[in-house]
Amino acid sequence: MWSEKIKANCRKIHTGLKGTKMLSIIQSVEGQLSDGMWENSFAMRGYWLFECCDLEGDDVVIYISKAWGDVDFNRPRCNKFCNMDEQQIKEWFANKVKQIIKQEIKDDYTEGLEWSRKCKVESAYMHDGITAQDAYKAYDCLKDRGNILWYGIK
């Protein structure tokens, strides 16, 4: 978690996501970027070193550093979010949510898991009992698909 002083020097991205479950999905992306699927990827350092997420009331907010770059392990690291607008950042996170679930399916790690709005199987690659359905709901929201019918799914 970043301090309020650091957050003051960030762009604040309102994701449209609400609650601790949706926050857990974004935190799961952060975890996979730094310690999971992309753990030793220097390319992904240009993302996760320059962002953090938190709840503001019930709203999930992503903070993006305004810094152009930094030095990490004596190597210059560029902030890859710098030239992205708010929607591009949200879509980047949405694509990572989908990629994590798809990789778990490809790895055949969790029986019955599928990328579906109706799949209530919990993902082992995400925290706190997140289901494929939860991940898909976050994906749709981040992609700004307000017109998607969730057929009574909450």
Side-chain angles (χ1 to χ4, degrees):
M1 219 42 81
W2 289 355
S3 71
E4 292 306 314
K5 183 178 179 182
I6 293 173
K7 287 180 185 178
N9 293 315
C10 292
R11 291 193 294 164
K12 189 181 345 180
I13 309 297
H14 293 275
T15 63
L17 302 173
K18 303 235 182 250
T20 56
K21 185 176 268 196
M22 294 294 128
L23 177 64
S24 287
I25 292 171
I26 300 301
Q27 289 172 332
S28 293
V29 171
E30 291 175 333
Q32 290 292 343
L33 288 170
S34 62
D35 296 321
M37 289 171 54
W38 298 285
E39 181 174 358
N40 292 315
S41 168
F42 279 98
M44 289 300 153
R45 283 176 148 357
Y47 294 104
W48 69 266
L49 288 173
F50 297 95
E51 65 77 29
C52 81
C53 63
D54 206 351
L55 281 178
E56 190 173 272
D58 199 37
D59 298 329
V60 177
V61 176
I62 299 171
Y63 295 91
I64 303 294
S65 171
K66 292 179 184 175
W68 178 86
D70 203 347
V71 176
D72 180 37
F73 294 106
N74 296 321
R75 296 174 72 174
R77 191 66 43 222
C78 234
N79 180 349
K80 295 188 176 185
F81 289 117
C82 265
N83 294 321
M84 290 186 191
D85 65 29
E86 187 170 310
Q87 189 56 39
Q88 289 171 318
I89 291 168
K90 291 185 339 185
E91 288 186 12
W92 186 89
F93 274 91
N95 292 336
K96 292 299 176 220
V97 168
K98 182 178 181 180
Q99 192 174 354
I100 291 165
I101 297 293
K102 290 282 201 166
Q103 185 62 50
E104 186 173 351
I105 293 165
K106 182 179 174 187
D107 292 347
D108 199 23
Y109 194 84
T110 302
E111 187 176 334
L113 187 69
E114 59 185 60
W115 182 244
S116 165
R117 287 185 181 91
K118 294 184 179 184
C119 181
K120 295 183 180 183
V121 174
E122 289 183 12
S123 167
Y125 288 14
M126 294 206 167
H127 322 147
D128 303 328
I130 298 300
T131 66
Q133 183 181 70
D134 298 327
Y136 213 125
K137 194 169 190 175
Y139 175 84
D140 280 342
C141 182
L142 291 165
K143 289 278 190 171
D144 202 19
R145 294 178 173 175
N147 59 345
I148 296 294
L149 296 176
W150 270 86
Y151 307 104
I153 299 170
K154 294 183 180 182

